[in-house]
């Protein structure tokens, strides 16, 4: 038997044991906890009190590091882009670079519950994110599109990505307990509903009934991005 296996002697049991070292509270730890609370509670039930409970501290301790919930949301927004990089502009391949930017944006927003709602309330013009925006603008301008269009392109594309992800999260929340078989049944019911509309009054909806709800979200997202990129390309003067 080693010394560590021996029982404590009676005269040693009442000695005060050293308290375990506390991990210092930092902004990074607060943001980590905030993401945990967001995933568990969702945007509407998110609160500073919940974050403090997650960390095991008083709410007042949070305000030493963050001014309020809005600043915490901004920190969570900035965290989304940590480690994210955009490639050097490639004028011959700018369309695919922009599509990949949109895919990465959707992937970021899908990492955490309701993150799209936080993202829609912020703009990426903080000092930490300006280099990222600069690189994105370089890709747009490398295509040859006019500056007024390039200036709006990033905002339009981000708005599409955030809106798409917000809709995705809302439907996921509403049908969280629905399995794939149940969704297939519902999709068939919706398709049949459109197909059975009076064709003299709704000829276009009847004609498109097989396509209204038949495709996956991935397909819908890619098609939307492709439509946007083709629209931007139409503004580039002929060379």
């Amino acid at each position: 038997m080693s010394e560590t296996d021996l029982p404590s002697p009676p005269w040693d049991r009442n000695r005060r044991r050293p308290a375990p070292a506390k991990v210092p509270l930092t902004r990074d730890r607060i943001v980590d906890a905030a993401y945990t609370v967001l995933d568990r509670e969702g945007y509407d039930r998110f609160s500073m009190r919940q974050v403090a409970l997650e960390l095991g501290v008083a709410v007042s301790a949070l305000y030493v590091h963050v001014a309020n919930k809005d600043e915490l949301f901004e920190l969570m927004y900035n965290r989304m882009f940590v480690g994210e990089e955009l490639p050097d502009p490639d004028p011959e391949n700018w369309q695919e670079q922009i599509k990949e930017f949109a895919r990465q944006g959707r992937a970021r927003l899908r990492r955490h519950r309701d993150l799209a709602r936080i993202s829609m309330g912020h703009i990426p013009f903080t000092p930490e994110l300006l280099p990222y925006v600069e690189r994105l603008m370089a890709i747009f301008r490398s295509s040859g599109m006019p500056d007024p269009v390039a200036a709006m392109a990033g905002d339009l594309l981000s708005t599409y990505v955030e809106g798409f992800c917000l809709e995705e999260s809302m439907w996921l929340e509403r049908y969280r307990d629905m399995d794939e078989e149940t969704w297939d049944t519902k999709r068939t019911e919706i398709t049949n509903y459109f197909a059975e509309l009076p064709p003299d009054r709704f000829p276009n909806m009847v004609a498109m009934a097989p396509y209204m709800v038949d495709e996956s979200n991935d397909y819908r997202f890619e098609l939307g991005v492709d439509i946007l990129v083709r629209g931007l390309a139409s503004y580039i003067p002929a060379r």
Side-chain angles (χ1 to χ4, degrees), residues 2-236:
S2 66
E3 292 184 5
T4 56
D5 296 325
L6 294 173
S8 299
W11 54 84
D12 192 46
R13 290 175 185 168
N14 293 328
R15 289 183 182 176
R16 179 176 294 179
R17 303 297 182 190
K22 291 184 177 181
V23 180
L25 193 60
T26 63
R27 279 190 164 192
D28 283 339
R29 287 192 62 213
I30 293 172
V31 173
D32 290 340
Y35 272 125
T36 300
V37 172
L38 184 68
D39 288 334
R40 184 178 65 237
E41 304 292 339
Y43 182 89
D44 290 326
R45 296 183 60 188
F46 183 96
S47 69
M48 298 292 280
R49 184 173 298 277
Q50 291 279 355
V51 176
L53 287 172
E54 183 67 27
L55 290 164
V57 300
V59 178
S60 58
L62 300 182
Y63 294 116
V64 176
H65 302 274
V66 293
N68 48 43
K69 187 165 71 172
D70 287 339
E71 185 181 11
L72 180 52
F73 280 160
E74 181 178 332
L75 293 172
M76 295 169 72
Y77 176 76
N78 288 344
R79 172 74 72 82
M80 287 170 47
F81 296 89
V82 172
E84 298 285 346
E85 294 184 358
L86 290 172
D88 292 331
D90 181 357
E92 302 301 321
N93 196 38
W94 73 269
Q95 293 193 32
E96 185 55 36
Q97 288 184 318
I98 294 304
K99 290 179 181 179
E100 186 58 27
F101 160 76
R103 295 180 191 119
Q104 291 176 1
R106 182 183 178 215
R108 282 195 299 269
L109 295 176
R110 285 162 58 97
R111 288 175 192 157
H112 296 282
R113 178 182 178 184
D114 289 342
L115 192 52
R117 294 181 65 177
I118 293 177
S119 182
M120 294 183 82
H122 294 81
I123 53 177
F125 296 149
T126 60
E128 299 89 346
L129 299 183
L130 282 179
Y132 186 87
V133 178
E134 172 66 19
R135 181 62 66 91
L136 179 62
M137 292 296 99
I139 294 175
F140 281 124
R141 297 188 74 206
S142 74
S143 70
M145 69 178 68
D147 280 353
V149 177
M152 292 293 296
D155 180 60
L156 292 172
L157 197 61
S158 295
T159 299
Y160 168 73
V161 174
E162 290 168 341
F164 190 96
C165 291
L166 177 61
E167 182 186 47
E168 270 192 306
S169 66
M170 291 172 64
W171 284 99
L172 178 63
E173 194 69 27
R174 183 175 298 179
Y175 296 108
R176 183 174 293 275
D177 299 326
M178 182 181 293
D179 56 31
E180 188 63 31
E181 184 176 348
T182 305
W183 167 240
D184 286 340
T185 301
K186 183 171 287 292
R187 181 165 50 194
T188 301
E189 292 173 350
I190 296 173
T191 300
N192 291 340
Y193 169 76
F194 288 131
E196 293 169 2
L197 290 170
D200 56 326
R201 295 174 57 195
F202 306 99
N204 296 297
M205 296 188 70
V206 171
M208 294 191 294
Y211 315 110
M212 298 288 277
V213 292
D214 192 50
E215 301 295 348
S216 68
N217 276 354
D218 291 344
Y219 174 86
R220 292 173 60 242
F221 179 81
E222 289 288 334
L223 179 61
V225 172
D226 188 63
I227 291 170
L228 284 170
V229 171
R230 290 193 190 193
L232 292 172
S234 70
Y235 285 89
I236 299 175

